[in-house]
Amino acid sequence: MAKRLTATMTSGVYQRLERRLAALLTPDDKDEAVLRIELLRAVRRAHISSVFFMPVVAITCAVLDLNWVGISHIYIWLAAATLTPLLPRAVFLRMERAAPPPQDAGLWTLRCALASLPMQVAWPSMVAFAWIEGDPANNALMVSFLCAGLVLGATLSSASLPIALLGVAAYVPFLAIYRVEVDGGLWWTVPAAQIGFGVLIAFLAYSLHKVAADAVRQRLKNEQLVKRLADANSTADRARIRAEDANRAKSNFLASMSHDLRTPLNAVIGFSDLIRSGIHGPLAPARYAGYIEDIHSSGRHLLSLINDILDLAKVEAGAREFEDREVSLGFLVEEALNLVHPQAAKAEVELKADIVPQVDLRSDERALLQILANLLSNAVKFTRAGGTVTVFTRLNGDGGLMLGVEDTGIGIGAEDLARVMEPYAQVGVAITVEGRGTGLGLPIVKGLAEGLGGAFRIESMPGSGTRAWCEFPAASVVPVRAIA
């Protein structure tokens, strides 16, 4: 019972002492505590790298010492020098498996330092077994061994300053006691020089520790930066996916609403047109005619806006289906000019055509007509009275076809060229014929051109007009067959 009580009391005192020492070795800053653990891991890697080197050195030193002492004197040191390194390696391995948190940095520093102490004492203790008093060769070899061991131990353990300084402290007593004999009254200069060498190595260990700490600190900062960047990229990717899903859901919804939105508007336009025409007699009172005219024009304008929105939604959702057949460019251009002619006449803008007569295009006629109608409508809208709007076709050097519209209008500034390709974006200009619209004309043209396997281009300068066209690959170009 007394033995158990004594053991319990001893264990309690040891634990309290360990906690107090660990608290002194634990930095208050969390980052510095993490740094302390990483430095211990660096010491562990240095010890592992010397796992085969140290026994070889110990055996070599023991063989050299056999010139002066017998095996019975040296085998105890050889066993201690070979076995004591196993203790710190075991503690380091346990630390690695435990993955200690920052608050345990001081505890593990203390454990690793205490585990290294037997090895740090065992190595310089060789001089106690092999020192031959009055033998200069033996004494010189022993002092050289002490100095070399001190440098090697301090270098390997320099990442953790407490372990390195503890090792230096283990060597200094041996450097003070064992010295080479010199003649004269200055005998004390040799131990002073040897102790000074130990102090110098302590400063060297401190300098190496600072270098290692700075390197590890920078590595930890880089890892934190990489982690923050990875987290930011992950968050951005999730946000992008959510935005794409929301945009796809919006496009799918609008694409599916085509019939539900167009049908009632067509009824409003049809019945208002019927009433406006007076097919069943004139309206009374007469001011109702103005109301019906407003209803009819507003309905047609609203239908145009809804058609643009639904067309863009179908293109974005990939729900637009395209035909693949030969399209006569001559008839296509003529039909597009006819569609825009009333708008051009009202704006006093001249319409022209400049097309290559030898080729046609294999594509979707309805989509091509919508492309030309949108481009022509935009060109007329932003061209002053007396200007011209021209539909053109050109053959590229690679056999592809350019189909587009150019005008002599007010043009677009370089800073606005990118904006006009964004849905619902409108350039801040005041000269238009029939209002501003939805800002969907060019995005629809771009989506249709890409859906047909082509690309959309636009060039413009303020005051010099605009040139917008679609480029189709050579595979879509069909030579016009001559009529026999």
Side-chain angles (χ1 to χ4, degrees), residues 24-42:
L24 292 174
L25 294 173
T26 302
D28 295 331
D29 185 16
K30 180 181 177 181
D31 292 338
E32 289 299 314
V34 173
L35 173 66
R36 190 72 56 84
I37 293 175
E38 289 300 316
L39 291 173
L40 287 175
R41 291 194 173 103

Side-chain angles (χ1 to χ4, degrees), residues 41-66:
R41 291 194 173 103
V43 176
R44 171 184 173 270
R45 289 191 293 270
H47 276 255
I48 289 177
S49 65
S50 61
V51 65
F52 298 108
F53 169 72
M54 293 178 70
V56 172
V57 173
I59 293 173
T60 303
C61 292
V63 170
L64 292 176
D65 290 337
L66 292 177

Side-chain angles (χ1 to χ4, degrees), residues 319-401:
R320 181 71 179 263
E321 297 180 357
F322 300 103
E323 295 181 353
D324 184 19
R325 64 187 184 88
E326 187 174 335
V327 179
S328 171
L329 292 180
F331 288 113
L332 178 73
V333 171
E334 183 179 357
E335 187 175 358
L337 291 174
N338 289 335
L339 286 175
V340 187
H341 183 268
Q343 178 186 351
K346 183 178 179 181
E348 300 180 8
V349 173
E350 182 183 3
L351 298 177
K352 293 182 178 181
D354 180 17
I355 63 172
V356 179
Q358 299 91 349
V359 296
D360 286 335
L361 195 62
R362 189 168 189 84
S363 188
D364 185 288
E365 183 175 5
R366 190 165 62 91
L368 291 177
L369 181 60
Q370 186 174 1
I371 288 174
L372 283 181
N374 283 2
L375 292 178
L376 284 168
S377 178
N378 263 13
V380 171
K381 187 182 297 185
F382 294 100
T383 300
R384 294 183 176 92
T388 59
V389 173
T390 304
V391 180
F392 68 89
T393 61
R394 300 282 189 276
L395 288 175
N396 292 332
D398 59 359
L401 181 74

